[in-house]
Amino acid sequence: MNHQKMKTAVITGGGSGIGLAIAEKFVKEQIRCILIGRDKDKLQKASDLLGPLAFGVSFDLTGLSGLPGLVSSIEKEYGKIDILVNNAGIHLKKPLMEVSDEEFQKVVMTNQNAVFSMSREVAKVMSTRKSGNIINISSMASQYGLPYVIAYTAAKSAVEGMTRAMAVELSPIGIRVNCVAPGFIQTEMSSGALKNDPERQRKVFSRTPMGRLGTPAEVADAVYFLASESSSFITGVILPVDGGNSIGF
Ligand code: NDP
């Protein structure tokens, strides 16, 4: 495909887990993918796996002041950004009374502030072309109360609120903004959170009508749908990809 016509996506945290699955889906659909993460080796392995349409850019998204420069260097190198997937995130599982202000701040900085700042910078360049797609990744932690994930819940709830706030401001100028809320998905992050916690594991399965964990590829399919023309009249939605977990009793 002609590189001028080819879409370019920036996927934060695209080097592993759900982000990597999103990149795999996008590459299969001939979308060029710029993967952002801190770990250069992880990014190298991911781009080797994905092939010539994938490029790793090593950057710590909590360095907010560097984000305008990051976005303009991506624009310069690849011509345009059509899709932004705010997927990077960190988890912290701890009783709330033991969470320090520093720990809380670190989770919020990564999972919330970086989503805002990246979206703002990318929206600026998308607005010049009056087209673009931003997809945020939230979590079941913002659909109902989950114990021991106070900072993560705060940040993911903010991501869902920001999705709606961004959608009303940006959709009139051609930028759709949507959010995917994955349920319990089989990745390193979730097996870390579920491992050694049989009670939590039992709860997860008992309230998931489909009775299993989801796969990163299933999340990626939903993200691709929201990034594609098949969803051209959809903006501001939070789409659970959770086997019914959010409505399960
Ligand atoms: P992973 O830990 O596999 O992926 C997280 C990615 O984020 C990594 O590639 C990591 O790269 C990147 N990242 C983290 N911090 C930074 C940072 N400061 N700067 C740049 N990149 C960063 O987790 P998952 O794939 O499971 O999670 C992906 C998203 O899905 C997250 O937002 C998570 O909250 C969400 N989610 C996951 C669920 C699950 O069950 N797995 C359920 C619900 C939501 P590096 O280490 O190289 O920086």
Side-chain angles (χ1 to χ4, degrees), residues 16 18 38-39 42 60-61 87 138 152 156 183 185 187:
S16 62
I18 292 173
R38 293 161 299 179
D39 181 339
K42 204 196 273 185
D60 183 343
L61 294 161
N87 161 81
S138 68
Y152 185 78
K156 291 298 189 182
I185 308 298
T187 63

Side-chain angles (χ1 to χ4, degrees), residues 220-237:
D221 283 341
V223 172
Y224 175 69
F225 165 69
L226 291 172
S228 74
E229 283 309 300
S230 301
S231 62
S232 54
F233 199 49
I234 299 178
T235 195
V237 305

Side-chain angles (χ1 to χ4, degrees), residues 11-22 36-43 57-63 86-91 106 109-111 114-115 136-141 152 156 159 180-191 193-194 213-214 216 219 241:
I11 305 172
T12 69
S16 62
I18 292 173
L20 179 57
I22 296 167
I36 298 175
R38 293 161 299 179
D39 181 339
K40 275 196 179 125
D41 290 343
K42 204 196 273 185
L43 291 171
V57 175
S58 147
F59 193 90
D60 183 343
L61 294 161
T62 61
N86 284 309
N87 161 81
I90 55 171
H91 202 266
K106 189 177 172 203
M109 186 62 94
T110 311
N111 295 7
V115 171
N136 298 322
I137 307 294
S138 68
S139 159
M140 283 305 109
Y152 185 78
K156 291 298 189 182
V159 164
V180 167
F184 292 87
I185 308 298
Q186 213 155 7
T187 63
E188 267 172 50
M189 188 187 269
S190 64
S191 37
L194 288 179
L213 296 180
V219 179
V241 178

